[in-house]
């Protein structure tokens, strides 16, 4: 059945992130049959490899000069502002410490500060490359190899039509799903891709399966970004994708 009960979905997402938190504390790279997460936490090595995949794509899609300009503009933040704020708020500030800083690990704190800077300062034409298929998919494959997977532990495939495109993620591709979740990523129509969230979606299907569904599935819409297409193209794609998904479940 196609469920729109957001309370139930919210509980499943909560379970997913609780499992992720437990994974970090246990220092394990994968879960056994009682968990939902598939890969271990993102590491500093993962961040370095992500940048290795990102750099040539930035040069190819944005250009060498704009890429260098963006890096130079970011240097004051990374060399001065970030380390000063990071050290002060984590270890020198004794009161009124931000809630996230109190609860996050140093690595989580560092990454979130970088992400906040990126969303506030990096132009969309550069930001969209960070989330693109050309960067996200090789990075996911590296993450899987690092955790011992030569192929995806959960089935997924691309779905492309003249009206819309997306990614199917499901437990068993040979049977009709009994649960389908329709997923549309954020990004204000200007950045993001379904591929960037694919690791999360693979884990989500695992959690849905553990929650009692026989063959859960997720269809992640990969709508066309601006300026490749303008409004209302994205709305039309979302509607066509939804109509398609409505025809999929067994009931």
């Amino acid at each position: 059945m196609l469920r729109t009960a957001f309370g139930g979905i919210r509980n499943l997402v909560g379970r997913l992130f609780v499992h992720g938190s437990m994974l970090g504390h246990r220092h394990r790279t994968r879960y056994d049959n009682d968990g939902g997460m598939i890969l271990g936490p993102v590491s500093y090595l993962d961040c370095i490899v992500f940048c290795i995949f990102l750099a040539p794509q930035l040069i190819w899609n944005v250009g060498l000069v704009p890429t260098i300009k963006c890096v130079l503009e970011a240097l004051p933040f990374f060399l001065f502002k970030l380390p000063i704020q990071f050290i002060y708020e984590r270890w020198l500030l004794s009161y009124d410490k931000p809630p996230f800083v109190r609860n996050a690990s140093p690595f989580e704190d560092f990454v979130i500060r970088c992400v906040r800077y990126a969303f506030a300062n990096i132009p969309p034409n550069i930001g969209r490359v960070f989330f693109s298929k050309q960067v996200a998919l090789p990075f996911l494959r590296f993450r899987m190899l690092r955790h011992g997977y030569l192929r995806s532990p959960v089935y997924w495939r691309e779905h492309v039509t003249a009206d819309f495109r997306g990614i199917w993620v499901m437990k068993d591709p040979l049977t009709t799903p009994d649960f389908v979740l329709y997923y549309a990523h954020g990004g204000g129509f200007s950045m993001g891709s379904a591929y960037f969230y694919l690791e999360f979606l693979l884990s989500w299907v695992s959690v849905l399966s553990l929650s009692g569904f026989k063959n859960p599935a997720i269809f992640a819409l990969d709508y066309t970004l601006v300026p490749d297409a303008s409004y209302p193209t994205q709305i039309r794609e979302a509607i066509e994708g939804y109509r398609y998904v409505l025809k999929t479940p067994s009931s």
Side-chain angles (χ1 to χ4, degrees):
M1 66 188 73
L2 180 69
R3 299 199 170 193
T4 56
F6 292 105
I9 297 301
R10 188 161 50 244
N11 290 337
L12 290 172
V13 174
R15 276 191 60 189
L16 185 61
F17 284 107
V18 167
H19 288 317
S21 176
M22 292 169 62
L23 179 61
H25 290 301
R26 294 178 186 177
H27 301 286
R28 293 170 63 182
T29 57
R30 69 182 79 178
Y31 264 101
D32 48 25
N33 292 330
D34 66 348
M37 297 299 292
I38 298 172
L39 306 182
V42 173
S43 67
Y44 287 107
L45 174 62
D46 290 322
C47 293
I48 293 172
V49 172
F50 181 85
C51 292
I52 292 173
F53 287 131
L54 173 65
Q57 292 298 326
L58 283 173
I59 295 172
W60 178 261
N61 291 281
V62 181
L64 179 61
V65 173
T67 299
I68 294 176
K69 180 175 179 292
C70 182
V71 171
L72 292 177
E73 290 174 347
L75 282 180
F77 171 79
F78 286 102
L79 294 179
F80 302 106
K81 187 175 181 179
L82 174 61
I84 291 173
Q85 287 185 343
F86 184 80
I87 295 172
Y88 174 74
E89 292 183 1
R90 287 203 67 87
W91 293 294
L92 300 181
L93 188 64
S94 58
Y95 61 92
D96 291 336
K97 188 175 293 187
F100 177 77
V101 175
R102 289 199 301 267
N103 298 307
S105 69
F107 175 74
E108 291 169 338
D109 190 359
F110 176 80
V111 171
I112 290 300
R113 290 172 190 270
C114 294
V115 170
R116 287 173 178 167
Y117 171 84
F119 274 101
N121 298 277
I122 293 181
N125 68 316
I126 294 179
R128 64 182 289 176
V129 180
F130 281 72
F131 302 94
S132 66
K133 174 183 177 181
Q134 292 77 11
V135 176
L137 197 52
F139 177 65
L140 175 59
R141 287 170 176 158
F142 166 78
R143 291 259 301 147
M144 288 183 178
L145 286 173
R146 190 167 74 80
H147 289 83
Y149 292 105
L150 296 179
R151 55 185 301 177
S152 176
V154 178
Y155 175 84
W156 71 273
R157 63 176 173 85
E158 297 174 323
H159 180 88
V160 180
T161 71
D163 298 319
F164 66 95
R165 66 182 183 272
I167 299 175
W168 270 115
V169 183
M170 62 183 67
K171 181 179 179 180
D172 183 1
L174 301 179
T175 59
T176 302
D178 62 335
F179 177 101
V180 175
L181 182 125
Y182 186 45
Y183 178 83
H185 66 82
F189 297 157
S190 64
M191 65 177 65
S193 76
Y195 298 90
F196 185 79
Y197 300 96
L198 186 52
E199 180 180 336
F200 168 70
L201 298 177
L202 297 175
S203 298
W204 205 346
V205 165
S206 178
V207 171
L208 288 167
S209 179
L210 292 168
S211 299
F213 297 103
K214 294 181 179 179
N215 188 28
I218 297 175
F219 184 77
L221 180 70
D222 198 36
Y223 55 77
T224 307
L225 300 179
V226 175
D228 300 338
S230 58
Y231 174 88
T233 299
Q234 296 80 10
I235 302 299
R236 287 199 297 266
E237 291 174 339
I239 293 173
E240 290 301 320
Y242 182 68
R243 287 173 177 167
Y244 164 70
V245 168
L246 283 175
K247 303 174 184 178
T248 303
S250 56
S251 64

